[in-house]
């Protein structure tokens, strides 16, 4: 998907659909933004109200979204008010793609910074190797790599959820431990 507008619109629609039952206020904000984006892509169709757009979530995407926007997604986003498999797939695929793009943007910034530093080549290599070799880290180890680059851990790492820690220990997957 080369054009970011359709991708962003799909992310808005799937997120709004998933929130319609649990957080109407957040869903409404997303629906309003989606209205404007959809109208921008298809100005000849007229502006839909947020309620009309929400009602379309129960219709197959191929019935109301142009093919250039929906790509290979088919089916409704909601069935009996509950997010469908299509909706869940869109959320998963589009959010993970956006996360990947955000991280790649930061990596590019680091690369560009390293190009203008005299010790940049070594810093960049250490940075990339650290990311590759350390899916789970200790803050102390990372400081040596991230501080010289003016980067923070939360740009690349998420905190480990509490439910994965038992008695203060993190038990890694046995398959990943041998790699």
């Amino acid at each position: 998907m080369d054009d970011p507008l359709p991708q962003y619109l799909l992310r808005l629609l799937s997120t709004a659909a998933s929130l319609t039952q649990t957080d109407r206020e957040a869903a409404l904000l997303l629906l309003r933004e989606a209205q404007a984006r959809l109208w921008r892509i298809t100005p000849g169709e007229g502006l839909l109200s947020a309620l009309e757009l929400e009602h379309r979530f129960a219709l197959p995407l191929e019935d109301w979204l142009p093919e250039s926007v929906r790509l290979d997604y088919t089916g409704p986003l909601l069935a009996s008010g509950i997010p469908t498999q299509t909706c869940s797939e869109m959320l998963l695929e589009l959010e993970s793609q956006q996360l990947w793009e955000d991280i790649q943007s930061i990596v590019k910034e680091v690369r560009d910074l390293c190009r203008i530093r005299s010790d940049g080549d070594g810093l960049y290599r250490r940075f990339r190797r650290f990311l590759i070799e350390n899916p789970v880290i200790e803050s102390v180890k990372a400081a040596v790599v991230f501080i010289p680059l003016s980067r923070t851990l939360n740009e690349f790492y998420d905190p480990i959820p509490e439910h994965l820690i038992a008695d203060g220990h993190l038990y890694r997957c046995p398959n990943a431990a041998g790699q």
Side-chain angles (χ1 to χ4, degrees), residues 4-144:
L5 187 59
Q7 180 180 358
Y8 186 71
L9 175 60
L10 288 175
R11 198 167 45 252
L12 282 172
L13 293 171
S14 59
T15 305
S18 71
L19 292 173
T20 55
Q21 290 273 311
T22 58
D23 191 347
R24 297 285 300 161
E25 186 177 343
L28 180 60
L29 291 173
L30 295 173
L31 282 167
R32 287 183 176 159
E33 186 175 353
Q35 289 173 262
R37 302 236 179 221
L38 183 58
W39 179 78
R40 185 172 167 200
I41 292 171
T42 59
E45 299 294 318
L47 183 63
L48 296 171
S49 71
L51 189 57
E52 289 170 325
L53 189 54
E54 184 179 347
H55 286 302
R56 290 193 179 193
F57 289 166
L59 301 172
L61 292 170
E62 55 272 24
D63 290 352
W64 61 278
L65 267 181
E67 187 175 350
S68 62
V69 174
R70 70 176 166 79
L71 302 174
D72 59 348
Y73 295 111
T74 59
L77 295 175
L78 295 176
S80 301
I82 299 172
T84 62
Q85 183 174 348
T86 297
C87 184
S88 299
E89 287 173 0
M90 286 172 66
L91 282 170
L92 182 64
E93 291 170 9
L94 296 170
E95 287 301 321
S96 64
Q97 183 175 356
Q98 183 62 43
L99 179 61
W100 183 85
E101 289 173 4
D102 292 345
I103 290 173
Q104 289 306 309
S105 172
I106 297 169
V107 169
K108 182 185 177 305
E109 288 175 19
V110 169
R111 184 195 67 204
D112 293 346
L113 170 71
C114 288
R115 283 184 175 162
I116 59 173
R117 292 183 57 165
S118 60
D119 58 344
D121 190 44
L123 282 173
Y124 184 71
R125 287 174 193 238
R126 189 173 347 144
F127 165 74
R128 289 297 300 222
R129 181 170 301 284
F130 186 85
L131 290 179
I132 292 166
E133 294 177 351
N134 295 283
V136 178
I137 61 162
E138 295 175 22
S139 302
V140 176
K141 282 185 181 179
V144 175

